[in-house]
Amino acid sequence: MTTLSKKPTRQVRRALARQTPEQQSQRLTDQILSEAAAQASVAAAAQITGAHLTDAELHTWRQDMEARLRVIQQHPEQNLGHIEEELARLAKEPLRLLAERAAQAKANATACQCLKCQRELIHQKFISRRVDSRFGSLLLWRRYGWCPHCEGWQFPADHALGLGRQAPASPYLQEISALLVSKMPAEQAVLVAERLGLDLSRCGMHREAYRQGLKAQARRAEAVAELDTWEDIQKLSRYAEGPPVQPFTLLIQIDAWNIRERDDWGQTEALRQQGKKPERWHWVYLATVFRLDHRGQTAGQRPFITERGFVATRGGIESLTAQLYREAIARGLGQAQQVLVIADGAVWIWNLVKDRFPNARQQLDLYHAEEHLWAVAHELYGRGTPEALAWVSPLLQQVREDESPAVIATLNELKPRLLQAQQEKLQSQIEYFEHNAERMKYKEIIAARKACAAGSATAEQIKLANQPLGSGAVESTCRQYQCRFKRTGQFWTTPGDEALMCLETFWRNNRWPELYPHAKPTSAMN
Ligand SMILES: [Zn+2]
């Protein structure tokens, strides 16, 4: 970085004092020359009002490009891939020049005013900075100054250009760092970026992605805080409303999984000596929200959901609840005819639902209920035995016919015949079914599906048949997040994983352009 301030630092003054007169005069000459060059460079930069390439520049570039393409054309072993690669590489320099000049013109056109109070800045000077961009390194000169009112040095052009204060990445490289590192480990991301013609190792891709994750978390916190007043909720709700729609059911599924984190960074040895492991497992809370009429099937019978919202956080149940509530409002909580929550039997989930979605219909994931019966069967008769199957089959049938009281009665009858240890295990299963009895209503859905298959379904049944029996949608979402955040041998720190998970969730929720306004929203980011 070069500044045009003239006063040498104390260190420089001391070094100068130690030099011989010849050295000093040589140094002075160098200094005068470099200052003159910097002055000329600022003067030239300050003149730029638009991005142009000169005819001479274009001419040289064109000749070079055509010559290189001729070489490839005549090379027996080079193909279209070589042509693509060479063109992308060659096009970078003229584009870099244009980007540098366009950014300089924008910096020049930016008023040198305080960003907070709009007052004109004083002690204005020019300072240069390097920016890593999509097309390579750019050198920019921008004016900065002091705001006596807010008491701070400010760089209004950096703000106008979307540049971070201490980070060299341009907004595009900020975005690409965030995108790639939230999808794959940073070491791989650097290599992928390199193949795509981006030099991201220089801007410290991992650090940049983390910075972006913090930005995303700040935006997320703002979005949740926006729900503080009734008007705000109405606004978000209206945004979700769109054109009038048919009555619909809003479906919420909630789950949690474990992530491995290394606690207390830097204290690994100390912890080991105390006989403690430096790693721990932490909960990641996850939820997904969508309208039932947005759920369909592909030609190959694979279920898909056209529009859905996601929430994922390491920040505890309270944080999950606040984020989920916001997402539910944005997805039509206020307009839904019915809200349905499907989840496994975890107590915290149903407490959350009672607290935030008191009118929602609650449904226990059918497959979890079945697993609990299988666990009893395995305990009694052994895993995979015909006796276990024979015992469990009528009970599975009863669950599907909404006869949970009969299931509980069977389990209770069984108890006196068991050993003490088995009785205790069985008791916990009995309690599971007792606590969830009201949430076990599957009969009508199954009947509706059968009627659809037989072609005799009523309109009501056609709708009902589309209602899921289990929480497969959130479970598959968990698996997708785990692909990135639960790899073998991978450790996370809480701030690191929350930041990247937050980026991933913005992407999935189609809210990427909120973080990167230059990015066009894609139709199916999830
Ligand atoms: Zn100010």
Side-chain angles (χ1 to χ4, degrees), residues 114 116-119 147 149-150 154:
C114 174
K116 291 177 210 151
C117 69
Q118 270 72 50
R119 284 185 177 83
C147 176
H149 184 71
C150 304
Q154 297 208 17

Short mmCIF file of all heavy atoms in Angstrom, two decimals, residues 114 116-119 147 149-150 154, ligand 1:
data_model
loop_
_atom_site.label_atom_id
_atom_site.label_comp_id
_atom_site.label_asym_id
_atom_site.label_seq_id
_atom_site.Cartn_x
_atom_site.Cartn_y
_atom_site.Cartn_z
N CYS A 114 -18.82 11.48 4.94
CA CYS A 114 -18.94 10.49 6.01
C CYS A 114 -20.13 9.57 5.71
O CYS A 114 -21.20 10.01 5.30
CB CYS A 114 -19.16 11.21 7.34
SG CYS A 114 -19.50 10.06 8.67
N LYS A 116 -21.75 7.86 7.84
CA LYS A 116 -22.78 7.89 8.89
C LYS A 116 -23.55 9.21 8.88
O LYS A 116 -24.77 9.21 8.93
CB LYS A 116 -22.13 7.70 10.26
CG LYS A 116 -21.59 6.29 10.47
CD LYS A 116 -20.87 6.17 11.83
CE LYS A 116 -19.76 5.15 11.75
NZ LYS A 116 -18.68 5.44 12.69
N CYS A 117 -22.80 10.34 8.82
CA CYS A 117 -23.50 11.63 8.97
C CYS A 117 -23.51 12.48 7.69
O CYS A 117 -24.02 13.59 7.70
CB CYS A 117 -22.89 12.42 10.13
SG CYS A 117 -21.23 12.99 9.78
N GLN A 118 -22.94 11.93 6.63
CA GLN A 118 -22.93 12.62 5.32
C GLN A 118 -22.15 13.93 5.30
O GLN A 118 -22.22 14.68 4.33
CB GLN A 118 -24.37 12.88 4.82
CG GLN A 118 -24.96 11.75 3.96
CD GLN A 118 -25.29 10.52 4.79
OE1 GLN A 118 -25.94 10.62 5.81
NE2 GLN A 118 -24.81 9.37 4.35
N ARG A 119 -21.42 14.26 6.35
CA ARG A 119 -20.62 15.50 6.31
C ARG A 119 -19.40 15.28 5.42
O ARG A 119 -18.87 14.17 5.35
CB ARG A 119 -20.15 15.88 7.72
CG ARG A 119 -21.23 16.47 8.59
CD ARG A 119 -20.62 16.92 9.92
NE ARG A 119 -21.60 17.56 10.77
CZ ARG A 119 -22.45 16.92 11.56
NH1 ARG A 119 -22.45 15.60 11.59
NH2 ARG A 119 -23.31 17.59 12.32
N CYS A 147 -13.65 12.25 9.60
CA CYS A 147 -14.91 12.91 9.97
C CYS A 147 -14.77 13.43 11.40
O CYS A 147 -14.68 12.63 12.34
CB CYS A 147 -16.11 11.97 9.89
SG CYS A 147 -17.62 12.78 10.46
N HIS A 149 -16.89 14.89 13.19
CA HIS A 149 -18.10 14.66 13.97
C HIS A 149 -18.14 13.22 14.53
O HIS A 149 -18.35 13.02 15.72
CB HIS A 149 -19.32 14.91 13.08
CG HIS A 149 -20.61 14.80 13.81
ND1 HIS A 149 -21.03 15.74 14.74
CD2 HIS A 149 -21.57 13.85 13.77
CE1 HIS A 149 -22.19 15.37 15.23
NE2 HIS A 149 -22.54 14.21 14.66
N CYS A 150 -17.88 12.25 13.65
CA CYS A 150 -17.91 10.83 14.08
C CYS A 150 -16.54 10.36 14.56
O CYS A 150 -16.41 9.23 15.04
CB CYS A 150 -18.39 9.94 12.95
SG CYS A 150 -19.98 10.42 12.29
N GLN A 154 -12.36 7.56 7.15
CA GLN A 154 -13.32 6.80 6.34
C GLN A 154 -12.88 6.70 4.89
O GLN A 154 -12.20 7.58 4.37
CB GLN A 154 -14.68 7.49 6.41
CG GLN A 154 -15.21 7.48 7.81
CD GLN A 154 -16.72 7.50 7.82
OE1 GLN A 154 -17.35 7.21 6.81
NE2 GLN A 154 -17.28 7.83 8.95
ZN ZN B 1 -19.63 11.50 10.40
#
